[in-house]
Amino acid sequence: MTLKPVIAKEFKTVSAISGPLLFVQKTRNIAYGEYVEIISQDGSVRRGQVLETSFEMAVVQVFEGTGGLSREHTVVRFTGEPLRFPVSTDVIGRMFNGSGKVIDGGPPIIPKEKLDVNGAPINPKSRAYPTDFIQTGISAIDGMNTLSRGQKLPLFSGNGLPHNEIAAQIARQAKVRKTEEKFLLIFAALGITADEARFFRNSFEESGALSRSILFLNLAQDPTIERILTPRLALTTAEYLAFEEDYHVLVIITDMTNYCEALREISAAREEVPGRRGYPGYMYTDLATIYERTGRVVGKNGSITQMPILTMPNDDITHPIPDLTGYITEGQIIVDRALHRRGIYPPIDVLPSLSRLMKEAIGPNKTRDDHKELSDQLYYMYAEGRSLRELVAVVGEEALTERDHMYLKAADRFEREFISQGRYEERSIEQTLDIGWNILSSFPESELKRISLSTIQKYHPAKRHKV
Amino acid sequence: MLNQRLKHGIITKVVGPVIFAENMENIAMYEMVKVGLDKIIGEVIRIEGNNAVIQVYEDTTGVSPGEPVEPTGSLLSVELGPGLLNQIFDGIQRPLTILEKESGFFIKRGRYPEALPRNMKWPFVPIKKEADRVTAGDILGYVKESPLLEKHAIMVPPHIKEGKLSYIIKEGEYTVEEIIAKIDCGQNNIVEVSMITKWPIRKPRPIKRRVSTYLPLITGQRIIDALFPIAKGGTAAIPGGFGTGKTVMQHQLAQWADANVIVYIGCGERGNEMAEVLERFPELKDPRSGLPLINRTILIANVSNMPIAAREASIYTGMTIAEYYRDMGYDVALMADSTSRWAEALREISGRLEEMPGEEGYPAYLASRIAEFYERAGRCEVLGSDERYGSISVIGAVSPPGADFSEPVTQSTLRVVKVFWALDTNLAQRRHFPAINWLTSYSLYKNDLDLWFAKIFPDWPNLTKEIMQVLQEEEELIEIVRLVGPDALSETQKLILEYARKIREDYLMQQAYSPTDSYCDLKKNYHMMSLLSYFYNTAKALVDNGIPVSKINSLPAVQELGRMKFVPNEEFESFYHNLRERLKSDLSSLTKGVKS
Ligand SMILES: Nc1ncnc2c1ncn2[C@@H]1O[C@H](COP(=O)(O)OP(=O)(O)OP(=O)(O)O)[C@@H](O)[C@H]1O
Ligand SMILES: [Mg+2]
């Protein structure tokens, strides 16, 4: 980028205020995307960014909202620079608000670099395909929808479901085995309640993870438009730590639904033609600028793994927020209300869940050589059991065959023994797989069509006990 | 030249990827311009008086009104010549490998390295000699571009009607810019030809005529080759919700389709998916030649967080490259994943222009743009005085919001393509892959291509018809079970259900990641169908004689059908004969107990 002289320009020509937007007139030569400071009558400073600029006018989105700003007394200061965030390893263990101000009472951050919060796309040529298995200790994930380092894998949940517990459990337990590498947790809260934020903080503290965490908190009472900024601060920090300082960073962002609401609010204020259900037509691209900031690059040791959480309005997976997310992320973990009602924790429905990077993350030297075949067979078994359950609901149990009963029973056991586990229960991948084998051992071998004879020889409980 | 004057315009407004400029006299529609102090590339998409609207191919952060806009006098074009294969470009053909070397792993803007390497020397073998008369499309000589494309044709440019070769260089190694031939077109017009040419991406390259003889594009995917085949030069759409297998299918086709050249456009999708191709294709071997597949592949990558205007351009960049190889007489297959992201880019730019929105905010010209794109596919006789044929098959993924196929992009696409592979979320959740719904998908080439298949395997059309019928019957029987329970079925009906299940699980399901199942050649495909059909028709006679299906099903040879997909292509023929014999003897062993 050509270096232009950085000259801040101040204007007092706000002509209109609409939602989170300021319209400033008679601005000349204001750059698109430029970082703006808005000084209100009482001298307090808010931050903003230029969304549109012409000879005569600039449109500025104000992250802290426009409440209390007046046309007459607002000074708008254009800085001539993009919005940057100061980074260094000093940020580790610290807590910020949603626009990046230190809120833990500690000293200010001494920056090593100041980075543009919008980042830049990673050259696809430079990416290294994720292959390292992350053990979360949760069977439904490790066994059936394996997470790997550098993956973006969201939790799709609903209001009142225990997605926070699941995320906290993952944050506590996630590890790449046989390594002693530098691991960090970045947590970005977008519009969650203070209680929820406290829950996470306590959980990190309990597990001793707080000292290797970085928290960005935009809570429910905080300005909504700030939510556009918060994940970008978190990811800018993550990129620095992963690619400059060699850390393996897990980024948890919750709740992306609130992010999308903020996006919708801005779009409405700009009077754009709305897309589906009022969300802007560019929401896919916008979400991609968050989710794609994940991964590994060739020649760098660190990595960014992303686990966004979103609550599906009305539990509707076709709603634009989960839908567009699913089109960008590398799979999804579905937290299911029906399982939750039946008292199963974690209530993860493995059938619609998916980890697209699983195939490269499992197998000999990563998990175990039987993993793929076993999980395929468990899938088949559980899907079969579930569809039989539906059939029973219609025609009753009598009509079922011997084989059908076997599947029904196994599906129940699968939910109670494999999916279900304690909030503090951390299962190794071997334990997870062995539970799977126990359930499958109730079937005659001829039913285990997805498992090769040699694998059965090696891992089937009936065979193993004989050795 | 488009533009005599190189006076520059002035930016008046910047809204994301769209900028407005004044003082743009004599600018041409789709002319390439350099925008702002960083001279980033844009293209004129609307002209009103002396004002122009420009879509910019890179991030416009930091660009401000008052900065200059420089016309270039040329339309947005791509470079064509040896050195395209094996490369990965962005949406406007910037070579990503070189960008990485120049500026690291984050893409920096304002850098435009040349698409084709200038210093590399290519072995050129002339096939024409001085004083030969030549016309557009005639091949002057060949370059060995890659192990999988030994004959990259250097052709007489399309605009030359007639001329005499006044000079042609001797066999040797040359760079793409060296003059290798001169064509005297009369009236003192001598055209110099080098190995590199440029072509504007929005303008289809000319051909002699389209032809309508049908040859299949063999994909090695059972359900496609047998039930919903695509012709060389054909068009297909793969719509499906997220996670239903569009990308895996596109990767499968890029790997296994029997085309000479593959152009793979990652259009607004994931960075890791491009990385996957880059890592895997050099290792994967072409089933016909045994050489690494990357040698016939060109990747265009505009991943989801790269600039959207370049996404709009990416499919034309890819298509123009495809046409260039078609013009040499090759069969090219082009995959675009996903055309919905391209359409969304169109929508976003249209929105910034404040155009009148059509359905779901898409511009009114969405359908015609989609039609124009697929119109560039086809099999044709290409330019040149020798009779050469080439083809471009186009396979576009579509990502309908909420997996609802009634939306505008899916619907506009279905109006123009001839093959519809409908991916089904339910099948995908049951891990039935490829999740192509056999009841709603179709191929309008099926009847024509059956003639071709029947020449090799006379009963191919019948076998595929039988499969479709059984699957249809299964659907009806399942409905009965749903209403009154499985007891209501006769044994004959149970056998149909069993046959259908075997078709689904043992035949249609195909594991993309299994080394033995990923690619199924036609012979194996045919033999698998024959075995299943043989099983069914023999078993039917037994069931008619009162033998229960469960008994038939537990025979070892019948069970073995479940593992047939994992038998390698090379071994399948002997496996087939062997299993068929065993089916015969196992099944007939049951008749022995029956009194006739
Ligand atoms: N033929 C196949 N064999 C095995 N697994 C498959 C196959 N097709 C799809 N899958 C599985 O389904 C997952 C999703 O497939 P894919 O990434 O192609 O979906 P998609 O339709 O492209 O989704 P999106 O629209 O979000 O890009 C894959 O990661 C893989 O696990
Ligand atoms: Mg895809």
Side-chain angles (χ1 to χ4, degrees):
Chain A
M1 179 168 169
T2 314
L3 281 180
K4 298 171 195 172
V6 177
I7 312 163
K9 306 177 188 120
E10 289 193 353
F11 293 88
K12 282 188 75 177
T13 48
V14 174
S15 64
I17 304 176
S18 159
L21 304 182
L22 288 185
F23 296 80
V24 191
Q25 282 195 321
K26 306 203 175 78
T27 56
R28 258 195 124 65
N29 305 2
I30 298 303
Y32 175 74
E34 187 169 321
Y35 167 52
V36 180
E37 290 178 340
I38 299 104
I39 302 136
S40 61
Q41 198 171 6
D42 61 6
S44 65
V45 179
R46 306 181 197 202
R47 309 164 173 227
Q49 190 177 11
V50 175
L51 290 186
E52 188 176 319
T53 169
S54 63
F55 265 147
E56 278 310 306
M57 192 175 66
V59 182
V60 175
Q61 82 179 0
V62 184
F63 293 122
E64 285 90 343
T66 50
L69 293 182
S70 68
R71 265 181 14 146
E72 294 77 13
H73 300 289
T74 302
V75 178
V76 184
R77 197 164 166 273
F78 293 88
T79 63
E81 279 196 299
L83 179 53
R84 291 176 193 277
F85 188 62
V87 288
S88 72
T89 46
D90 283 358
V91 297
I92 298 169
R94 303 297 304 272
M95 186 155 72
F96 302 87
N97 72 4
S99 57
K101 291 208 181 79
V102 171
I103 51 165
D104 55 6
I109 304 300
I110 299 168
K112 198 157 163 202
E113 283 179 52
K114 284 184 151 191
L115 298 177
D116 180 348
V117 300
N118 289 310
I122 294 177
N123 186 332
K125 176 70 181 51
S126 313
R127 282 187 181 267
Y129 197 73
T131 53
D132 297 338
F133 163 60
I134 295 182
Q135 180 177 296
T136 66
I138 295 176
S139 296
I141 298 176
D142 294 351
M144 308 299 282
N145 295 290
T146 318
L147 172 68
S148 64
R149 224 180 223 174
Q151 182 170 11
K152 39 189 180 295
L153 188 64
L155 291 181
F156 284 9
S157 188
N159 289 318
L161 295 179
H163 42 267
N164 291 342
E165 281 85 346
I166 299 173
Q169 187 169 4
I170 292 169
R172 262 197 314 272
Q173 301 178 351
K175 56 177 65 74
V176 173
R177 299 198 306 176
K178 299 181 209 128
T179 56
E180 288 296 322
E181 284 160 334
K182 303 195 284 182
F183 173 79
L184 279 181
L185 183 69
I186 295 187
F187 179 76
L190 310 178
I192 63 173
T193 63
D195 274 349
E196 287 175 291
R198 202 169 311 119
F199 164 80
F200 276 106
R201 198 171 178 279
N202 288 345
S203 146
F204 299 158
E205 192 154 28
E206 256 171 49
S207 63
L210 201 59
S211 59
R212 46 182 182 89
S213 311
I214 305 156
L215 277 56
F216 293 87
L217 303 180
N218 166 291
L219 302 182
Q221 75 269 18
D222 292 337
T224 44
I225 304 307
E226 191 179 88
R227 289 163 202 165
I228 301 293
L229 192 58
T230 314
R232 297 190 159 82
L233 300 177
L235 290 163
T236 303
T237 309
E239 282 170 352
Y240 171 79
L241 292 168
F243 301 136
E244 302 297 323
E245 302 285 349
D246 293 344
Y247 282 97
H248 293 287
V249 187
L250 173 65
V251 183
I252 297 179
I253 308 180
T254 181
D255 176 338
M256 283 302 290
T257 302
N258 294 329
Y259 174 87
C260 295
E261 298 305 339
L263 211 59
R264 178 161 71 169
E265 204 176 304
I266 295 167
S267 174
R270 293 180 78 182
E271 296 176 2
E272 291 169 337
V273 180
R276 269 202 324 148
R277 305 209 201 172
Y279 294 91
Y282 49 79
M283 192 155 90
Y284 173 85
T285 303
D286 188 280
L287 285 173
T289 62
I290 292 177
Y291 298 142
E292 273 287 317
R293 291 173 80 174
T294 312
R296 302 193 308 149
V297 295
V298 176
K300 296 280 172 187
N301 287 323
S303 66
I304 301 175
T305 307
Q306 218 186 120
M307 185 165 274
I309 302 173
L310 57 88
T311 46
M312 301 184 274
N314 288 321
D315 292 353
D316 176 9
I317 197 169
T318 68
H319 184 282
I321 297 171
D323 189 54
L324 296 179
T325 297
Y327 272 124
I328 305 166
T329 52
E330 284 142 350
Q332 67 280 338
I333 301 292
I334 308 272
V335 185
D336 179 65
R337 198 168 297 279
L339 285 173
H340 178 62
R341 283 210 189 103
R342 300 216 323 268
I344 289 166
Y345 175 90
I348 293 175
D349 187 352
V350 296
L351 296 184
S353 296
L354 170 71
S355 164
R356 302 181 193 222
L357 304 185
M358 176 166 177
K359 62 180 189 299
E360 301 287 334
I362 64 172
N365 300 325
K366 292 174 178 164
T367 57
R368 211 166 73 181
D369 51 351
D370 57 329
H371 192 158
K372 172 150 197 340
E373 294 173 42
L374 179 74
S375 75
D376 284 352
Q377 189 69 54
L378 287 171
Y379 256 109
Y380 180 82
M381 177 275 291
Y382 186 53
E384 194 83 353
R386 284 261 297 254
S387 62
L388 283 165
R389 235 186 242 166
E390 281 165 33
L391 187 66
V392 170
V394 183
V395 299
E397 292 234 12
E398 308 77 57
L400 298 190
T401 64
E402 188 88 5
R403 176 181 178 275
D404 294 346
H405 280 292
M406 217 157 54
Y407 275 92
L408 269 179
K409 230 184 260 156
D412 279 339
R413 277 188 69 192
F414 181 71
E415 287 171 0
R416 277 183 288 105
E417 297 170 29
F418 186 94
I419 301 291
S420 182
Q421 69 185 81
R423 284 170 169 74
Y424 286 87
E425 181 183 354
E426 180 175 351
R427 290 184 189 154
S428 70
I429 184 65
E430 290 79 9
Q431 285 170 318
T432 289
L433 298 177
D434 289 346
I435 297 171
W437 275 110
N438 272 336
I439 296 166
L440 290 183
S441 64
S442 62
F443 288 91
E445 274 170 45
S446 60
E447 280 297 321
L448 306 182
K449 283 189 195 164
R450 283 170 169 67
I451 307 183
S452 64
L453 297 174
S454 60
T455 305
I456 288 182
Q457 280 302 329
K458 197 164 162 194
Y459 290 102
H460 195 291
K463 317 272 168 185
R464 276 207 271 176
H465 290 300
K466 278 181 205 141
V467 189
Chain B
M1 289 293 94
L2 282 163
N3 210 316
Q4 264 76 41
R5 148 222 90 107
L6 283 177
K7 210 175 93 186
H8 63 69
I10 301 283
I11 299 176
T12 57
K13 182 175 171 184
V14 187
V15 207
V18 173
I19 72 157
F20 297 73
E22 61 184 20
N23 204 15
M24 301 284 289
E25 297 94 40
N26 299 327
I27 198 81
M29 194 66 176
Y30 300 126
E31 181 169 341
M32 201 163 80
V33 294
K34 293 182 180 166
V35 173
L37 300 175
D38 284 349
K39 295 185 190 294
I40 56 185
I41 299 254
E43 184 185 18
V44 174
I45 53 171
R46 186 197 276 176
I47 301 173
E48 281 164 3
N50 283 340
N51 300 335
V53 181
I54 296 154
Q55 63 175 354
V56 182
Y57 291 114
E58 297 202 64
D59 182 19
T60 53
T61 300
V63 176
S64 63
E67 291 184 21
V69 177
E70 217 178 277
T72 63
S74 51
L75 302 178
L76 184 68
S77 303
V78 287
E79 292 187 351
L80 302 169
L84 288 167
L85 289 173
N86 231 320
Q87 279 223 62
I88 175 164
F89 299 105
D90 79 352
I92 52 168
Q93 212 198 11
R94 296 192 299 166
L96 289 173
T97 312
I98 297 177
L99 275 187
E100 180 188 35
K101 283 195 193 109
E102 287 186 357
S103 58
F105 63 90
F106 282 127
I107 297 183
K108 303 246 163 59
R109 70 174 196 201
R111 286 166 204 261
Y112 303 99
E114 278 139 347
L116 294 182
R118 294 301 197 264
N119 48 5
M120 187 135 159
K121 294 206 169 204
W122 298 96
F124 175 76
V125 182
I127 60 165
K128 288 265 187 308
K129 52 186 190 315
E130 266 153 46
D132 280 354
R133 298 211 70 85
V134 292
T135 173
D138 279 353
I139 295 171
L140 298 170
Y142 291 107
V143 170
K144 181 176 169 183
E145 186 180 2
S146 92
L148 274 174
L149 199 108
E150 305 230 349
K151 290 182 144 188
H152 178 119
I154 305 298
M155 297 167 285
V156 174
H159 67 269
I160 291 179
K161 284 238 156 53
E162 231 324 2
K164 203 175 78 183
L165 213 50
S166 59
Y167 165 77
I168 185 155
I169 212 159
K170 62 178 192 307
E171 184 173 341
E173 302 212 333
Y174 307 101
T175 67
V176 290
E177 285 177 320
E178 281 172 78
I179 304 302
I180 54 151
K182 293 180 188 169
I183 302 165
D184 184 349
C185 302
Q187 285 150 358
N188 287 334
N189 178 14
I190 309 255
V191 176
E192 295 183 332
V193 180
S194 64
M195 291 193 245
I196 191 172
T197 54
K198 285 195 167 195
W199 192 266
I201 62 169
R202 298 186 193 277
K203 185 173 161 194
R205 285 172 62 89
I207 54 167
K208 238 186 227 166
R209 65 186 177 100
R210 292 174 167 272
V211 294
S212 54
T213 45
Y214 291 106
L215 299 171
L217 181 75
I218 313 275
T219 65
Q221 309 306 299
R222 285 187 289 274
I223 184 167
I224 293 181
D225 291 342
L227 304 185
F228 311 111
I230 173 171
K232 289 207 167 89
T235 50
I238 320 180
F242 63 80
T244 50
K246 299 179 290 296
T247 303
V248 173
M249 182 53 76
Q250 296 273 39
H251 284 187
Q252 287 293 92
L253 298 178
Q255 279 171 38
W256 307 126
D258 68 335
N260 304 103
V261 173
I262 302 288
V263 178
Y264 190 97
I265 309 168
C267 178
E269 296 286 309
R270 300 172 185 82
N272 274 335
E273 288 170 350
M274 301 312 290
E276 186 181 4
V277 176
L278 286 172
E279 280 185 22
R280 211 167 58 199
F281 277 36
E283 285 159 23
L284 282 169
K285 304 278 185 297
D286 170 38
R288 287 155 289 267
S289 66
L291 292 163
L293 282 169
I294 197 76
N295 287 313
R296 63 164 191 180
T297 309
I298 297 159
L299 297 171
I300 313 281
N302 174 284
V303 305
S304 55
N305 61 340
M306 283 161 78
I308 63 137
R311 184 168 315 156
E312 193 276 332
S314 65
I315 68 167
Y316 302 108
T317 295
M319 184 59 91
T320 308
I321 291 172
E323 287 176 342
Y324 174 65
Y325 284 96
R326 171 206 65 196
D327 290 349
M328 297 177 201
Y330 288 119
D331 293 314
V332 184
L334 178 144
M335 289 97 202
D337 182 14
S338 158
T339 60
S340 294
R341 306 303 166 215
W342 163 80
E344 284 163 11
L346 213 60
R347 174 170 71 184
E348 183 172 345
I349 291 161
S350 161
R352 301 280 185 230
L353 295 179
E354 296 177 5
E355 290 175 337
M356 177 69 112
E359 218 184 327
E360 298 204 8
Y362 287 103
Y365 45 80
L366 173 74
S368 63
R369 291 281 168 87
I370 289 177
E372 279 160 26
F373 171 70
Y374 283 102
E375 196 53 34
R376 289 172 78 169
R379 198 168 118 79
C380 47
E381 189 183 345
V382 299
L383 296 184
S385 40
D386 56 338
E387 194 183 310
R388 294 201 306 276
Y389 295 88
S391 70
I392 301 177
S393 315
V394 175
I395 298 123
V398 184
S399 317
D404 174 2
F405 289 5
S406 67
E407 58 90 39
V409 182
T410 313
Q411 287 305 313
S412 308
T413 305
L414 290 186
R415 276 200 290 277
V416 291
V417 300
K418 299 288 198 315
V419 182
F420 174 45
W421 296 317
L423 298 187
D424 185 314
T425 307
N426 282 323
L427 288 175
Q429 282 188 6
R430 280 172 16 213
R431 303 296 197 259
H432 175 110
F433 291 117
I436 297 178
N437 183 315
W438 46 86
L439 297 173
T440 52
S441 300
Y442 59 79
S443 162
L444 299 182
Y445 303 114
K446 172 75 175 147
N447 288 339
D448 290 311
L449 291 176
D450 266 351
L451 301 175
W452 186 93
F453 284 108
K455 276 189 213 141
I456 311 175
F457 311 108
D459 56 342
W460 177 285
N462 288 333
L463 284 170
T464 59
K465 205 176 291 161
E466 179 177 304
I467 287 177
M468 286 304 282
Q469 260 161 17
V470 170
L471 291 171
Q472 185 65 49
E473 278 176 57
E474 179 192 37
E475 196 61 15
E476 289 153 19
L477 292 175
I478 287 177
E479 199 47 44
I480 297 178
V481 173
R482 244 182 237 134
L483 291 173
V484 287
D487 286 350
L489 297 185
S490 70
E491 283 294 307
T492 317
Q493 288 172 321
K494 282 186 190 154
L495 181 68
I496 292 176
L497 281 185
E498 188 52 40
Y499 184 26
R501 179 152 93 149
K502 287 190 162 44
I503 290 172
R504 285 187 286 108
E505 294 182 7
D506 304 335
Y507 175 75
L508 295 182
M509 276 175 73
Q510 193 170 352
Q511 276 283 336
Y513 305 118
S514 150
T516 46
D517 196 29
S518 186
Y519 173 75
C520 177
D521 67 18
L522 285 189
K523 220 163 164 185
K524 175 174 167 187
N525 192 343
Y526 169 73
H527 281 141
M528 284 175 81
M529 288 192 278
S530 313
L531 280 173
L532 286 169
S533 173
Y534 179 77
F535 151 77
Y536 171 68
N537 288 299
T538 320
K540 200 156 99 195
L542 297 179
V543 170
D544 290 344
N545 276 316
I547 295 174
V549 176
S550 54
K551 203 152 177 199
I552 296 173
N553 231 355
S554 57
L555 295 168
V558 175
Q559 293 271 322
E560 179 115 1
L561 288 169
R563 299 197 190 263
M564 69 179 165
K565 64 169 78 150
F566 298 112
V567 177
N569 289 311
E570 321 71 87
E571 294 164 24
F572 206 87
E573 186 155 13
S574 68
F575 171 87
Y576 163 78
H577 291 298
N578 179 299
L579 184 57
R580 198 180 147 110
E581 277 314 302
R582 279 164 50 217
L583 277 172
K584 190 170 170 188
S585 65
D586 275 14
L587 289 165
S588 65
S589 74
L590 291 179
T591 39
K592 301 219 173 76
V594 180
K595 291 176 205 93
S596 45

